[in-house]
Amino acid sequence: LKAGETVFLVGGNGSGKSTLVRVLTHLYETEAGAIIWDGQLVRESNVSRYRNLFSAVYADFHLFDRLYGMDDVDPERVRGLLADGGLGDKTGYEDGKFTTLDLSTGQRKLLALVVALTEDRPIFVLDELSADQDPGFRRRYYEEFLPALKAQGKTLIVVSHDERYFHLADHVVTMEDGRFVQETLAT
């Protein structure tokens, strides 16, 4: 992976995409091989700094009612992100916490994206975020949100089945049975 590029991970269900992003973000330990970051092996002495590179929304994400570990969050920015994601009338951000988490699955994924955007780290891992979204938001996600993050210099790792948007990636990596079977460079 190179800074600032957009990589789509694709493949059938059970192909290893979600496992790969968990290994890549070091939530799962590697059983073989290694993760090299800026020429250095990721190990116990630097794994915390490495993990802090990632803002992630995993397929089986969990939400908290507040933004743990994020000091000095601008409440207006969070409210703006909620409104931009179409959640402004569904939940709010008051006194350091979200007013409700009682949302549909798609809305909960959008709220997880708001949290990731609030973290604002250099690498975004977005695992099937467009699933459970209406077609209008799905289009905005691919055609507006992802290009805007890329324009900010963010590295994007996007797990997706939405073939009509693969042209937005710098690389499309296809997985099968836990292995890379094809890499396509965008034209």
Side-chain angles (χ1 to χ4, degrees):
L1 297 171
K2 294 180 183 161
E5 66 182 4
T6 299
V7 177
F8 279 27
L9 288 176
V10 304
N13 292 336
S15 64
K17 303 177 302 290
S18 293
T19 300
L20 174 64
V21 296
R22 284 174 174 75
V23 169
L24 182 65
T25 58
H26 220 278
L27 287 182
Y28 291 175
E29 293 288 330
T30 56
E31 292 181 10
I35 297 175
I36 306 295
W37 165 41
D38 284 341
Q40 300 292 317
L41 179 66
V42 175
R43 59 181 77 203
E44 191 173 327
S45 62
N46 63 1
V47 72
S48 180
R49 284 192 349 254
Y50 175 78
R51 285 183 180 139
N52 284 326
L53 294 171
F54 298 93
S55 288
V57 179
Y58 299 102
D60 59 349
F61 64 95
H62 180 80
L63 288 173
F64 295 97
D65 67 350
R66 62 196 75 226
L67 300 171
Y68 287 106
M70 287 187 251
D71 299 327
D72 302 322
V73 171
D74 177 5
E76 289 306 315
R77 180 168 184 265
V78 176
R79 289 183 200 109
L81 290 168
L82 289 170
D84 198 32
L87 295 173
D89 62 338
K90 307 291 183 199
T91 189
Y93 186 73
E94 301 295 332
D95 300 321
K97 56 192 254 185
F98 297 107
T99 57
T100 186
L101 299 179
D102 188 20
L103 304 165
S104 71
T105 301
Q107 292 165 341
R108 289 173 56 80
K109 282 185 178 182
L110 292 178
L111 186 55
L113 176 61
V114 166
V115 173
L117 292 169
T118 302
E119 288 177 324
D120 195 30
R121 294 180 176 166
I123 305 170
F124 281 76
V125 174
L126 304 167
D127 188 354
E128 293 290 348
L129 194 130
S130 64
D132 302 312
Q133 303 300 330
D134 65 65
F137 181 81
R138 185 174 290 159
R139 183 200 56 75
R140 282 189 67 218
Y141 169 69
Y142 284 107
E143 294 179 0
E144 295 175 27
F145 283 98
L146 295 181
L149 287 170
K150 183 177 176 71
Q152 294 173 30
K154 305 297 184 184
T155 302
L156 306 174
I157 303 165
V158 180
V159 177
S160 177
H161 290 286
D162 290 325
E163 291 180 20
R164 77 180 120 213
Y165 298 107
F166 287 1
H167 68 281
L168 297 172
D170 296 307
H171 301 272
V172 177
V173 178
T174 305
M175 294 188 68
E176 188 176 291
D177 297 324
R179 301 189 185 284
F180 301 125
V181 293
Q182 180 178 354
E183 178 182 8
T184 307
L185 299 176
T187 54

